[in-house]
PDB file of all heavy atoms in Angstrom:
ATOM      1  N   MET P 246     -38.972   1.373 -40.241  1.00  0.00           N
ATOM      2  CA  MET P 246     -39.068   0.463 -39.111  1.00  0.00           C
ATOM      3  C   MET P 246     -40.418   0.646 -38.436  1.00  0.00           C
ATOM      4  O   MET P 246     -41.074   1.653 -38.547  1.00  0.00           O
ATOM      5  CB  MET P 246     -37.917   0.757 -38.147  1.00  0.00           C
ATOM      6  CG  MET P 246     -37.664  -0.322 -37.153  1.00  0.00           C
ATOM      7  SD  MET P 246     -36.986  -1.732 -37.999  1.00  0.00           S
ATOM      8  CE  MET P 246     -36.838  -2.847 -36.692  1.00  0.00           C
ATOM      9  N   PHE P 247     -40.831  -0.334 -37.686  1.00  0.00           N
ATOM     10  CA  PHE P 247     -42.091  -0.326 -36.991  1.00  0.00           C
ATOM     11  C   PHE P 247     -42.041   0.649 -35.820  1.00  0.00           C
ATOM     12  O   PHE P 247     -41.235   0.525 -34.912  1.00  0.00           O
ATOM     13  CB  PHE P 247     -42.400  -1.741 -36.486  1.00  0.00           C
ATOM     14  CG  PHE P 247     -43.700  -1.838 -35.771  1.00  0.00           C
ATOM     15  CD1 PHE P 247     -44.891  -1.756 -36.477  1.00  0.00           C
ATOM     16  CD2 PHE P 247     -43.757  -2.042 -34.419  1.00  0.00           C
ATOM     17  CE1 PHE P 247     -46.097  -1.881 -35.827  1.00  0.00           C
ATOM     18  CE2 PHE P 247     -44.959  -2.157 -33.751  1.00  0.00           C
ATOM     19  CZ  PHE P 247     -46.131  -2.091 -34.452  1.00  0.00           C
ATOM     20  N   ASP P 248     -42.911   1.674 -35.856  1.00  0.00           N
ATOM     21  CA  ASP P 248     -42.962   2.676 -34.814  1.00  0.00           C
ATOM     22  C   ASP P 248     -44.306   2.544 -34.065  1.00  0.00           C
ATOM     23  O   ASP P 248     -45.347   2.931 -34.580  1.00  0.00           O
ATOM     24  CB  ASP P 248     -42.829   4.077 -35.402  1.00  0.00           C
ATOM     25  CG  ASP P 248     -42.764   5.169 -34.363  1.00  0.00           C
ATOM     26  OD1 ASP P 248     -42.668   4.845 -33.155  1.00  0.00           O
ATOM     27  OD2 ASP P 248     -42.802   6.331 -34.762  1.00  0.00           O
ATOM     28  N   LYS P 249     -44.281   1.973 -32.881  1.00  0.00           N
ATOM     29  CA  LYS P 249     -45.490   1.670 -32.128  1.00  0.00           C
ATOM     30  C   LYS P 249     -46.286   2.916 -31.798  1.00  0.00           C
ATOM     31  O   LYS P 249     -47.519   2.901 -31.795  1.00  0.00           O
ATOM     32  CB  LYS P 249     -45.119   0.943 -30.859  1.00  0.00           C
ATOM     33  CG  LYS P 249     -46.279   0.427 -30.056  1.00  0.00           C
ATOM     34  CD  LYS P 249     -45.800  -0.382 -28.883  1.00  0.00           C
ATOM     35  CE  LYS P 249     -46.957  -0.866 -28.059  1.00  0.00           C
ATOM     36  NZ  LYS P 249     -46.532  -1.647 -26.905  1.00  0.00           N
ATOM     37  N   GLU P 250     -45.640   4.051 -31.542  1.00  0.00           N
ATOM     38  CA  GLU P 250     -46.332   5.261 -31.143  1.00  0.00           C
ATOM     39  C   GLU P 250     -47.142   5.881 -32.302  1.00  0.00           C
ATOM     40  O   GLU P 250     -48.146   6.516 -32.082  1.00  0.00           O
ATOM     41  CB  GLU P 250     -45.352   6.279 -30.603  1.00  0.00           C
ATOM     42  CG  GLU P 250     -44.742   5.882 -29.276  1.00  0.00           C
ATOM     43  CD  GLU P 250     -43.757   6.909 -28.769  1.00  0.00           C
ATOM     44  OE1 GLU P 250     -43.740   8.027 -29.298  1.00  0.00           O
ATOM     45  OE2 GLU P 250     -43.039   6.586 -27.835  1.00  0.00           O
ATOM     46  N   ASN P 251     -46.666   5.703 -33.535  1.00  0.00           N
ATOM     47  CA  ASN P 251     -47.342   6.317 -34.677  1.00  0.00           C
ATOM     48  C   ASN P 251     -48.161   5.323 -35.492  1.00  0.00           C
ATOM     49  O   ASN P 251     -48.672   5.677 -36.548  1.00  0.00           O
ATOM     50  CB  ASN P 251     -46.308   7.005 -35.577  1.00  0.00           C
ATOM     51  CG  ASN P 251     -45.702   8.210 -34.902  1.00  0.00           C
ATOM     52  OD1 ASN P 251     -46.366   8.913 -34.162  1.00  0.00           O
ATOM     53  ND2 ASN P 251     -44.416   8.403 -35.100  1.00  0.00           N
ATOM     54  N   THR P 252     -48.318   4.099 -35.012  1.00  0.00           N
ATOM     55  CA  THR P 252     -49.075   3.097 -35.733  1.00  0.00           C
ATOM     56  C   THR P 252     -50.574   3.387 -35.593  1.00  0.00           C
ATOM     57  O   THR P 252     -51.058   3.661 -34.501  1.00  0.00           O
ATOM     58  CB  THR P 252     -48.774   1.698 -35.187  1.00  0.00           C
ATOM     59  OG1 THR P 252     -47.403   1.439 -35.336  1.00  0.00           O
ATOM     60  CG2 THR P 252     -49.558   0.629 -35.901  1.00  0.00           C
ATOM     61  N   LYS P 253     -51.290   3.325 -36.703  1.00  0.00           N
ATOM     62  CA  LYS P 253     -52.733   3.528 -36.715  1.00  0.00           C
ATOM     63  C   LYS P 253     -53.394   2.302 -37.342  1.00  0.00           C
ATOM     64  O   LYS P 253     -52.956   1.808 -38.380  1.00  0.00           O
ATOM     65  CB  LYS P 253     -53.097   4.773 -37.517  1.00  0.00           C
ATOM     66  CG  LYS P 253     -52.519   6.008 -36.890  1.00  0.00           C
ATOM     67  CD  LYS P 253     -52.746   7.235 -37.745  1.00  0.00           C
ATOM     68  CE  LYS P 253     -52.031   8.404 -37.115  1.00  0.00           C
ATOM     69  NZ  LYS P 253     -51.816   9.483 -38.051  1.00  0.00           N
ATOM     70  N   ILE P 254     -54.443   1.814 -36.707  1.00  0.00           N
ATOM     71  CA  ILE P 254     -55.121   0.626 -37.164  1.00  0.00           C
ATOM     72  C   ILE P 254     -56.585   0.948 -37.423  1.00  0.00           C
ATOM     73  O   ILE P 254     -57.231   1.635 -36.616  1.00  0.00           O
ATOM     74  CB  ILE P 254     -55.037  -0.502 -36.107  1.00  0.00           C
ATOM     75  CG1 ILE P 254     -53.574  -0.898 -35.933  1.00  0.00           C
ATOM     76  CG2 ILE P 254     -55.886  -1.694 -36.509  1.00  0.00           C
ATOM     77  CD1 ILE P 254     -53.325  -1.902 -34.846  1.00  0.00           C
ATOM     78  N   ALA P 255     -57.121   0.464 -38.534  1.00  0.00           N
ATOM     79  CA  ALA P 255     -58.537   0.643 -38.853  1.00  0.00           C
ATOM     80  C   ALA P 255     -59.196  -0.724 -38.900  1.00  0.00           C
ATOM     81  O   ALA P 255     -58.675  -1.651 -39.517  1.00  0.00           O
ATOM     82  CB  ALA P 255     -58.691   1.330 -40.199  1.00  0.00           C
ATOM     83  N   ILE P 256     -60.303  -0.849 -38.224  1.00  0.00           N
ATOM     84  CA  ILE P 256     -61.098  -2.086 -38.245  1.00  0.00           C
ATOM     85  C   ILE P 256     -62.373  -1.801 -39.024  1.00  0.00           C
ATOM     86  O   ILE P 256     -63.143  -0.911 -38.654  1.00  0.00           O
ATOM     87  CB  ILE P 256     -61.461  -2.535 -36.802  1.00  0.00           C
ATOM     88  CG1 ILE P 256     -60.218  -2.655 -35.919  1.00  0.00           C
ATOM     89  CG2 ILE P 256     -62.254  -3.845 -36.834  1.00  0.00           C
ATOM     90  CD1 ILE P 256     -59.261  -3.737 -36.298  1.00  0.00           C
ATOM     91  N   ILE P 257     -62.577  -2.548 -40.091  1.00  0.00           N
ATOM     92  CA  ILE P 257     -63.758  -2.403 -40.923  1.00  0.00           C
ATOM     93  C   ILE P 257     -64.760  -3.475 -40.515  1.00  0.00           C
ATOM     94  O   ILE P 257     -64.496  -4.662 -40.653  1.00  0.00           O
ATOM     95  CB  ILE P 257     -63.420  -2.532 -42.422  1.00  0.00           C
ATOM     96  CG1 ILE P 257     -62.263  -1.624 -42.796  1.00  0.00           C
ATOM     97  CG2 ILE P 257     -64.651  -2.277 -43.286  1.00  0.00           C
ATOM     98  CD1 ILE P 257     -62.480  -0.165 -42.556  1.00  0.00           C
ATOM     99  N   GLY P 258     -65.896  -3.057 -40.002  1.00  0.00           N
ATOM    100  CA  GLY P 258     -66.924  -3.998 -39.544  1.00  0.00           C
ATOM    101  C   GLY P 258     -66.780  -4.247 -38.049  1.00  0.00           C
ATOM    102  O   GLY P 258     -65.819  -4.831 -37.605  1.00  0.00           O
ATOM    103  N   LEU P 259     -67.739  -3.759 -37.282  1.00  0.00           N
ATOM    104  CA  LEU P 259     -67.666  -3.890 -35.820  1.00  0.00           C
ATOM    105  C   LEU P 259     -68.741  -4.865 -35.314  1.00  0.00           C
ATOM    106  O   LEU P 259     -69.529  -4.540 -34.437  1.00  0.00           O
ATOM    107  CB  LEU P 259     -67.832  -2.512 -35.181  1.00  0.00           C
ATOM    108  CG  LEU P 259     -66.755  -1.513 -35.531  1.00  0.00           C
ATOM    109  CD1 LEU P 259     -67.064  -0.138 -34.942  1.00  0.00           C
ATOM    110  CD2 LEU P 259     -65.394  -1.982 -35.059  1.00  0.00           C
ATOM    111  N   GLY P 260     -68.710  -6.045 -35.857  1.00  0.00           N
ATOM    112  CA  GLY P 260     -69.640  -7.089 -35.439  1.00  0.00           C
ATOM    113  C   GLY P 260     -69.074  -7.926 -34.311  1.00  0.00           C
ATOM    114  O   GLY P 260     -68.332  -7.420 -33.457  1.00  0.00           O
ATOM    115  N   TYR P 261     -69.373  -9.208 -34.326  1.00  0.00           N
ATOM    116  CA  TYR P 261     -68.933 -10.117 -33.259  1.00  0.00           C
ATOM    117  C   TYR P 261     -67.416 -10.210 -33.156  1.00  0.00           C
ATOM    118  O   TYR P 261     -66.891 -10.393 -32.059  1.00  0.00           O
ATOM    119  CB  TYR P 261     -69.502 -11.513 -33.492  1.00  0.00           C
ATOM    120  CG  TYR P 261     -70.992 -11.597 -33.336  1.00  0.00           C
ATOM    121  CD1 TYR P 261     -71.811 -11.790 -34.424  1.00  0.00           C
ATOM    122  CD2 TYR P 261     -71.574 -11.446 -32.072  1.00  0.00           C
ATOM    123  CE1 TYR P 261     -73.191 -11.868 -34.283  1.00  0.00           C
ATOM    124  CE2 TYR P 261     -72.937 -11.501 -31.915  1.00  0.00           C
ATOM    125  CZ  TYR P 261     -73.742 -11.713 -33.025  1.00  0.00           C
ATOM    126  OH  TYR P 261     -75.100 -11.757 -32.859  1.00  0.00           O
ATOM    127  N   VAL P 262     -66.730 -10.113 -34.259  1.00  0.00           N
ATOM    128  CA  VAL P 262     -65.268 -10.204 -34.252  1.00  0.00           C
ATOM    129  C   VAL P 262     -64.628  -8.833 -34.249  1.00  0.00           C
ATOM    130  O   VAL P 262     -63.667  -8.593 -33.503  1.00  0.00           O
ATOM    131  CB  VAL P 262     -64.774 -11.014 -35.475  1.00  0.00           C
ATOM    132  CG1 VAL P 262     -63.254 -11.037 -35.537  1.00  0.00           C
ATOM    133  CG2 VAL P 262     -65.333 -12.427 -35.435  1.00  0.00           C
ATOM    134  N   GLY P 263     -65.117  -7.921 -35.051  1.00  0.00           N
ATOM    135  CA  GLY P 263     -64.497  -6.616 -35.217  1.00  0.00           C
ATOM    136  C   GLY P 263     -64.466  -5.760 -33.968  1.00  0.00           C
ATOM    137  O   GLY P 263     -63.471  -5.107 -33.678  1.00  0.00           O
ATOM    138  N   LEU P 264     -65.563  -5.757 -33.204  1.00  0.00           N
ATOM    139  CA  LEU P 264     -65.628  -4.910 -32.012  1.00  0.00           C
ATOM    140  C   LEU P 264     -64.635  -5.338 -30.942  1.00  0.00           C
ATOM    141  O   LEU P 264     -63.847  -4.529 -30.454  1.00  0.00           O
ATOM    142  CB  LEU P 264     -67.053  -4.840 -31.450  1.00  0.00           C
ATOM    143  CG  LEU P 264     -67.252  -3.907 -30.264  1.00  0.00           C
ATOM    144  CD1 LEU P 264     -66.864  -2.481 -30.620  1.00  0.00           C
ATOM    145  CD2 LEU P 264     -68.685  -3.972 -29.790  1.00  0.00           C
ATOM    146  N   PRO P 265     -64.603  -6.623 -30.552  1.00  0.00           N
ATOM    147  CA  PRO P 265     -63.583  -7.024 -29.572  1.00  0.00           C
ATOM    148  C   PRO P 265     -62.163  -6.835 -30.084  1.00  0.00           C
ATOM    149  O   PRO P 265     -61.254  -6.498 -29.308  1.00  0.00           O
ATOM    150  CB  PRO P 265     -63.872  -8.503 -29.323  1.00  0.00           C
ATOM    151  CG  PRO P 265     -65.240  -8.750 -29.815  1.00  0.00           C
ATOM    152  CD  PRO P 265     -65.520  -7.710 -30.870  1.00  0.00           C
ATOM    153  N   LEU P 266     -61.966  -7.034 -31.366  1.00  0.00           N
ATOM    154  CA  LEU P 266     -60.660  -6.824 -31.965  1.00  0.00           C
ATOM    155  C   LEU P 266     -60.249  -5.362 -31.859  1.00  0.00           C
ATOM    156  O   LEU P 266     -59.110  -5.042 -31.502  1.00  0.00           O
ATOM    157  CB  LEU P 266     -60.686  -7.274 -33.428  1.00  0.00           C
ATOM    158  CG  LEU P 266     -59.369  -7.311 -34.174  1.00  0.00           C
ATOM    159  CD1 LEU P 266     -58.435  -8.324 -33.554  1.00  0.00           C
ATOM    160  CD2 LEU P 266     -59.614  -7.630 -35.631  1.00  0.00           C
ATOM    161  N   ALA P 267     -61.161  -4.453 -32.146  1.00  0.00           N
ATOM    162  CA  ALA P 267     -60.889  -3.025 -32.042  1.00  0.00           C
ATOM    163  C   ALA P 267     -60.587  -2.629 -30.605  1.00  0.00           C
ATOM    164  O   ALA P 267     -59.687  -1.804 -30.352  1.00  0.00           O
ATOM    165  CB  ALA P 267     -62.081  -2.229 -32.576  1.00  0.00           C
ATOM    166  N   VAL P 268     -61.296  -3.206 -29.665  1.00  0.00           N
ATOM    167  CA  VAL P 268     -61.048  -2.904 -28.243  1.00  0.00           C
ATOM    168  C   VAL P 268     -59.641  -3.345 -27.841  1.00  0.00           C
ATOM    169  O   VAL P 268     -58.905  -2.605 -27.181  1.00  0.00           O
ATOM    170  CB  VAL P 268     -62.112  -3.576 -27.344  1.00  0.00           C
ATOM    171  CG1 VAL P 268     -61.723  -3.484 -25.885  1.00  0.00           C
ATOM    172  CG2 VAL P 268     -63.461  -2.942 -27.577  1.00  0.00           C
ATOM    173  N   GLU P 269     -59.252  -4.540 -28.238  1.00  0.00           N
ATOM    174  CA  GLU P 269     -57.918  -5.038 -27.892  1.00  0.00           C
ATOM    175  C   GLU P 269     -56.798  -4.235 -28.549  1.00  0.00           C
ATOM    176  O   GLU P 269     -55.835  -3.882 -27.885  1.00  0.00           O
ATOM    177  CB  GLU P 269     -57.788  -6.526 -28.279  1.00  0.00           C
ATOM    178  CG  GLU P 269     -58.589  -7.449 -27.403  1.00  0.00           C
ATOM    179  CD  GLU P 269     -58.174  -7.414 -25.947  1.00  0.00           C
ATOM    180  OE1 GLU P 269     -56.952  -7.395 -25.673  1.00  0.00           O
ATOM    181  OE2 GLU P 269     -59.050  -7.407 -25.086  1.00  0.00           O
ATOM    182  N   PHE P 270     -56.953  -3.935 -29.837  1.00  0.00           N
ATOM    183  CA  PHE P 270     -55.952  -3.108 -30.498  1.00  0.00           C
ATOM    184  C   PHE P 270     -55.914  -1.698 -29.900  1.00  0.00           C
ATOM    185  O   PHE P 270     -54.857  -1.089 -29.802  1.00  0.00           O
ATOM    186  CB  PHE P 270     -56.211  -3.023 -31.993  1.00  0.00           C
ATOM    187  CG  PHE P 270     -55.647  -4.155 -32.800  1.00  0.00           C
ATOM    188  CD1 PHE P 270     -56.460  -4.903 -33.637  1.00  0.00           C
ATOM    189  CD2 PHE P 270     -54.299  -4.456 -32.733  1.00  0.00           C
ATOM    190  CE1 PHE P 270     -55.945  -5.935 -34.386  1.00  0.00           C
ATOM    191  CE2 PHE P 270     -53.772  -5.493 -33.491  1.00  0.00           C
ATOM    192  CZ  PHE P 270     -54.589  -6.230 -34.307  1.00  0.00           C
ATOM    193  N   GLY P 271     -57.076  -1.208 -29.478  1.00  0.00           N
ATOM    194  CA  GLY P 271     -57.172   0.133 -28.938  1.00  0.00           C
ATOM    195  C   GLY P 271     -56.443   0.328 -27.624  1.00  0.00           C
ATOM    196  O   GLY P 271     -56.155   1.457 -27.239  1.00  0.00           O
ATOM    197  N   GLU P 272     -56.146  -0.750 -26.946  1.00  0.00           N
ATOM    198  CA  GLU P 272     -55.395  -0.654 -25.695  1.00  0.00           C
ATOM    199  C   GLU P 272     -53.927  -0.276 -25.922  1.00  0.00           C
ATOM    200  O   GLU P 272     -53.286   0.286 -25.051  1.00  0.00           O
ATOM    201  CB  GLU P 272     -55.465  -1.965 -24.924  1.00  0.00           C
ATOM    202  CG  GLU P 272     -56.854  -2.235 -24.398  1.00  0.00           C
ATOM    203  CD  GLU P 272     -56.953  -3.515 -23.611  1.00  0.00           C
ATOM    204  OE1 GLU P 272     -55.909  -4.154 -23.362  1.00  0.00           O
ATOM    205  OE2 GLU P 272     -58.082  -3.888 -23.238  1.00  0.00           O
ATOM    206  N   LYS P 273     -53.396  -0.550 -27.116  1.00  0.00           N
ATOM    207  CA  LYS P 273     -51.973  -0.278 -27.379  1.00  0.00           C
ATOM    208  C   LYS P 273     -51.714   0.623 -28.578  1.00  0.00           C
ATOM    209  O   LYS P 273     -50.646   1.193 -28.698  1.00  0.00           O
ATOM    210  CB  LYS P 273     -51.234  -1.581 -27.585  1.00  0.00           C
ATOM    211  CG  LYS P 273     -51.190  -2.443 -26.349  1.00  0.00           C
ATOM    212  CD  LYS P 273     -50.272  -3.609 -26.497  1.00  0.00           C
ATOM    213  CE  LYS P 273     -50.249  -4.402 -25.212  1.00  0.00           C
ATOM    214  NZ  LYS P 273     -49.255  -5.456 -25.199  1.00  0.00           N
ATOM    215  N   TYR P 274     -52.694   0.732 -29.491  1.00  0.00           N
ATOM    216  CA  TYR P 274     -52.502   1.473 -30.728  1.00  0.00           C
ATOM    217  C   TYR P 274     -53.647   2.461 -30.948  1.00  0.00           C
ATOM    218  O   TYR P 274     -54.736   2.266 -30.432  1.00  0.00           O
ATOM    219  CB  TYR P 274     -52.433   0.536 -31.931  1.00  0.00           C
ATOM    220  CG  TYR P 274     -51.378  -0.530 -31.826  1.00  0.00           C
ATOM    221  CD1 TYR P 274     -51.709  -1.829 -31.498  1.00  0.00           C
ATOM    222  CD2 TYR P 274     -50.038  -0.224 -32.075  1.00  0.00           C
ATOM    223  CE1 TYR P 274     -50.724  -2.815 -31.391  1.00  0.00           C
ATOM    224  CE2 TYR P 274     -49.068  -1.196 -31.972  1.00  0.00           C
ATOM    225  CZ  TYR P 274     -49.403  -2.488 -31.644  1.00  0.00           C
ATOM    226  OH  TYR P 274     -48.447  -3.426 -31.539  1.00  0.00           O
ATOM    227  N   ASN P 275     -53.395   3.487 -31.732  1.00  0.00           N
ATOM    228  CA  ASN P 275     -54.467   4.372 -32.178  1.00  0.00           C
ATOM    229  C   ASN P 275     -55.353   3.553 -33.127  1.00  0.00           C
ATOM    230  O   ASN P 275     -54.894   3.054 -34.137  1.00  0.00           O
ATOM    231  CB  ASN P 275     -53.920   5.588 -32.926  1.00  0.00           C
ATOM    232  CG  ASN P 275     -53.173   6.512 -32.022  1.00  0.00           C
ATOM    233  OD1 ASN P 275     -53.513   6.661 -30.857  1.00  0.00           O
ATOM    234  ND2 ASN P 275     -52.164   7.172 -32.532  1.00  0.00           N
ATOM    235  N   THR P 276     -56.614   3.382 -32.750  1.00  0.00           N
ATOM    236  CA  THR P 276     -57.491   2.491 -33.489  1.00  0.00           C
ATOM    237  C   THR P 276     -58.790   3.207 -33.853  1.00  0.00           C
ATOM    238  O   THR P 276     -59.363   3.925 -33.038  1.00  0.00           O
ATOM    239  CB  THR P 276     -57.840   1.255 -32.648  1.00  0.00           C
ATOM    240  OG1 THR P 276     -56.616   0.640 -32.228  1.00  0.00           O
ATOM    241  CG2 THR P 276     -58.671   0.251 -33.422  1.00  0.00           C
ATOM    242  N   VAL P 277     -59.244   2.985 -35.090  1.00  0.00           N
ATOM    243  CA  VAL P 277     -60.503   3.523 -35.577  1.00  0.00           C
ATOM    244  C   VAL P 277     -61.352   2.362 -36.062  1.00  0.00           C
ATOM    245  O   VAL P 277     -60.870   1.459 -36.764  1.00  0.00           O
ATOM    246  CB  VAL P 277     -60.282   4.500 -36.753  1.00  0.00           C
ATOM    247  CG1 VAL P 277     -61.587   4.962 -37.341  1.00  0.00           C
ATOM    248  CG2 VAL P 277     -59.449   5.684 -36.298  1.00  0.00           C
ATOM    249  N   GLY P 278     -62.610   2.361 -35.648  1.00  0.00           N
ATOM    250  CA  GLY P 278     -63.550   1.336 -36.107  1.00  0.00           C
ATOM    251  C   GLY P 278     -64.582   1.953 -37.005  1.00  0.00           C
ATOM    252  O   GLY P 278     -65.066   3.053 -36.769  1.00  0.00           O
ATOM    253  N   TYR P 279     -64.937   1.259 -38.082  1.00  0.00           N
ATOM    254  CA  TYR P 279     -65.910   1.748 -39.032  1.00  0.00           C
ATOM    255  C   TYR P 279     -66.925   0.645 -39.306  1.00  0.00           C
ATOM    256  O   TYR P 279     -66.573  -0.506 -39.559  1.00  0.00           O
ATOM    257  CB  TYR P 279     -65.250   2.143 -40.341  1.00  0.00           C
ATOM    258  CG  TYR P 279     -66.212   2.630 -41.394  1.00  0.00           C
ATOM    259  CD1 TYR P 279     -66.708   3.913 -41.346  1.00  0.00           C
ATOM    260  CD2 TYR P 279     -66.642   1.778 -42.430  1.00  0.00           C
ATOM    261  CE1 TYR P 279     -67.627   4.350 -42.285  1.00  0.00           C
ATOM    262  CE2 TYR P 279     -67.536   2.225 -43.354  1.00  0.00           C
ATOM    263  CZ  TYR P 279     -68.030   3.498 -43.289  1.00  0.00           C
ATOM    264  OH  TYR P 279     -68.921   3.934 -44.199  1.00  0.00           O
ATOM    265  N   ASN P 280     -68.213   1.021 -39.174  1.00  0.00           N
ATOM    266  CA  ASN P 280     -69.270   0.069 -39.439  1.00  0.00           C
ATOM    267  C   ASN P 280     -70.378   0.790 -40.207  1.00  0.00           C
ATOM    268  O   ASN P 280     -70.807   1.871 -39.818  1.00  0.00           O
ATOM    269  CB  ASN P 280     -69.823  -0.473 -38.129  1.00  0.00           C
ATOM    270  CG  ASN P 280     -70.633  -1.733 -38.314  1.00  0.00           C
ATOM    271  OD1 ASN P 280     -70.326  -2.543 -39.164  1.00  0.00           O
ATOM    272  ND2 ASN P 280     -71.686  -1.872 -37.546  1.00  0.00           N
ATOM    273  N   ILE P 281     -70.861   0.203 -41.290  1.00  0.00           N
ATOM    274  CA  ILE P 281     -71.887   0.857 -42.104  1.00  0.00           C
ATOM    275  C   ILE P 281     -73.264   0.764 -41.433  1.00  0.00           C
ATOM    276  O   ILE P 281     -74.099   1.639 -41.615  1.00  0.00           O
ATOM    277  CB  ILE P 281     -71.900   0.276 -43.519  1.00  0.00           C
ATOM    278  CG1 ILE P 281     -72.654   1.220 -44.438  1.00  0.00           C
ATOM    279  CG2 ILE P 281     -72.457  -1.119 -43.563  1.00  0.00           C
ATOM    280  CD1 ILE P 281     -72.301   1.059 -45.885  1.00  0.00           C
ATOM    281  N   ASN P 282     -73.489  -0.244 -40.613  1.00  0.00           N
ATOM    282  CA  ASN P 282     -74.757  -0.425 -39.926  1.00  0.00           C
ATOM    283  C   ASN P 282     -74.640   0.196 -38.528  1.00  0.00           C
ATOM    284  O   ASN P 282     -73.967  -0.342 -37.674  1.00  0.00           O
ATOM    285  CB  ASN P 282     -75.104  -1.899 -39.832  1.00  0.00           C
ATOM    286  CG  ASN P 282     -76.468  -2.139 -39.239  1.00  0.00           C
ATOM    287  OD1 ASN P 282     -77.118  -1.221 -38.772  1.00  0.00           O
ATOM    288  ND2 ASN P 282     -76.897  -3.405 -39.263  1.00  0.00           N
ATOM    289  N   GLN P 283     -75.328   1.282 -38.279  1.00  0.00           N
ATOM    290  CA  GLN P 283     -75.179   2.009 -37.017  1.00  0.00           C
ATOM    291  C   GLN P 283     -75.808   1.288 -35.824  1.00  0.00           C
ATOM    292  O   GLN P 283     -75.568   1.650 -34.687  1.00  0.00           O
ATOM    293  CB  GLN P 283     -75.784   3.416 -37.142  1.00  0.00           C
ATOM    294  CG  GLN P 283     -75.013   4.281 -38.120  1.00  0.00           C
ATOM    295  CD  GLN P 283     -75.621   5.660 -38.239  1.00  0.00           C
ATOM    296  OE1 GLN P 283     -76.615   5.968 -37.591  1.00  0.00           O
ATOM    297  NE2 GLN P 283     -75.019   6.474 -39.067  1.00  0.00           N
ATOM    298  N   THR P 284     -76.622   0.262 -36.041  1.00  0.00           N
ATOM    299  CA  THR P 284     -77.263  -0.453 -34.928  1.00  0.00           C
ATOM    300  C   THR P 284     -76.341  -1.481 -34.313  1.00  0.00           C
ATOM    301  O   THR P 284     -76.628  -1.992 -33.252  1.00  0.00           O
ATOM    302  CB  THR P 284     -78.562  -1.137 -35.396  1.00  0.00           C
ATOM    303  OG1 THR P 284     -78.260  -2.113 -36.397  1.00  0.00           O
ATOM    304  CG2 THR P 284     -79.565  -0.134 -35.907  1.00  0.00           C
ATOM    305  N   THR P 285     -75.230  -1.792 -34.955  1.00  0.00           N
ATOM    306  CA  THR P 285     -74.297  -2.806 -34.438  1.00  0.00           C
ATOM    307  C   THR P 285     -73.302  -2.151 -33.516  1.00  0.00           C
ATOM    308  O   THR P 285     -72.797  -1.122 -33.743  1.00  0.00           O
ATOM    309  CB  THR P 285     -73.577  -3.517 -35.578  1.00  0.00           C
ATOM    310  OG1 THR P 285     -74.529  -4.087 -36.446  1.00  0.00           O
ATOM    311  CG2 THR P 285     -72.672  -4.595 -35.043  1.00  0.00           C
TER     312      THR P 285
END
């Protein structure tokens, strides 16, 4: 079953869409963002 406390989300690419998406998911879930370009 879906367990909200143990759910982990990974966002690949923290550009125009990925970064705001990671921020929103991060408010409720354990979230990790990964971006290959460190300047973004």
